[in-house]
């Protein structure tokens, strides 16, 4: 069975997060607006977008758009597509066994499947989408 997540503007953020985590249980998504992204780059705490809203309600670029990603897609490609299509910044994250949470900085050339397997093998937590 191919592991694929598809989203359009009508999907709620919490649904996208849950579907992503069902396919890649040792990884999670974090969507940020441009303002939140800038804060994260400055090392400030960011909380992400309201998960009860749809992508259309929070997107910063207008127009139709659809993103599909499977396990063969590289992390950097997923992040680039969200920025180009929705004007949103996405980070792929993981939670270590001790509860520390990290972005995939330096691992963006890996595919989702490869990174998910690596994080499983290293003892990361499963099912941490929220």
């Amino acid at each position: 069975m191919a592991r694929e997540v598809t989203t359009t503007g009508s999907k709620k953020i919490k649904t996208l997060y849950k579907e992503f985590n069902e396919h890649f249980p040792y990884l999670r998504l974090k969507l940020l607006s441009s303002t939140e992204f800038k804060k994260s780059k400055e090392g400030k705490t960011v909380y992400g977008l309201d998960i009860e809203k749809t992508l259309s309600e929070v997107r910063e670029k207008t127009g139709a758009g659809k993103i599909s990603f499977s396990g063969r897609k590289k992390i950097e490609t997923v992040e680039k597509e969200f920025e180009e299509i929705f004007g949103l910044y996405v980070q792929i994250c993981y939670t270590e066994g001790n509860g520390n949470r990290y972005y995939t900085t330096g691992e963006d050339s890996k595919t989702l499947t490869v990174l998910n397997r690596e994080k499983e093998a290293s003892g990361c937590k499963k099912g941490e989408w929220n």
Side-chain angles (χ1 to χ4, degrees), residues 38-54:
K38 189 181 283 187
K39 286 181 185 178
S40 75
K41 288 291 194 182
E42 296 169 354
K44 297 178 182 173
T45 301
V46 294
Y47 298 99
L49 299 170
D50 182 348
I51 64 170
E52 294 297 330
K53 292 189 176 187
T54 65

Side-chain angles (χ1 to χ4, degrees), residues 2-61:
R3 294 177 171 233
E4 183 172 275
V5 178
T6 302
T7 190
T8 62
S10 63
K11 188 173 280 191
K12 281 191 174 188
I13 294 170
K14 71 178 182 181
T15 303
L16 174 61
Y17 284 179
K18 184 178 178 189
E19 288 176 0
F20 180 85
N21 199 232
E22 287 171 356
H23 287 83
F24 309 104
Y26 296 92
L27 305 176
R28 59 188 169 79
L29 287 176
K30 182 162 189 157
L31 286 169
L32 303 168
S33 67
S34 58
T35 303
E36 289 173 312
F37 182 71
K38 189 181 283 187
K39 286 181 185 178
S40 75
K41 288 291 194 182
E42 296 169 354
K44 297 178 182 173
T45 301
V46 294
Y47 298 99
L49 299 170
D50 182 348
I51 64 170
E52 294 297 330
K53 292 189 176 187
T54 65
L55 286 166
S56 291
E57 291 175 303
V58 298
R59 70 188 303 159
E60 295 184 355
K61 283 189 178 179

Side-chain angles (χ1 to χ4, degrees), residues 3 12 27 37 47 52 65 67 71 76 79 85 92 102 107 111 122:
R3 294 177 171 233
K12 281 191 174 188
L27 305 176
F37 182 71
Y47 298 99
E52 294 297 330
I67 298 174
E76 61 196 1
E79 292 174 350
I85 294 171
I92 309 294
Y102 296 97
E107 300 179 284
T111 66
S122 69

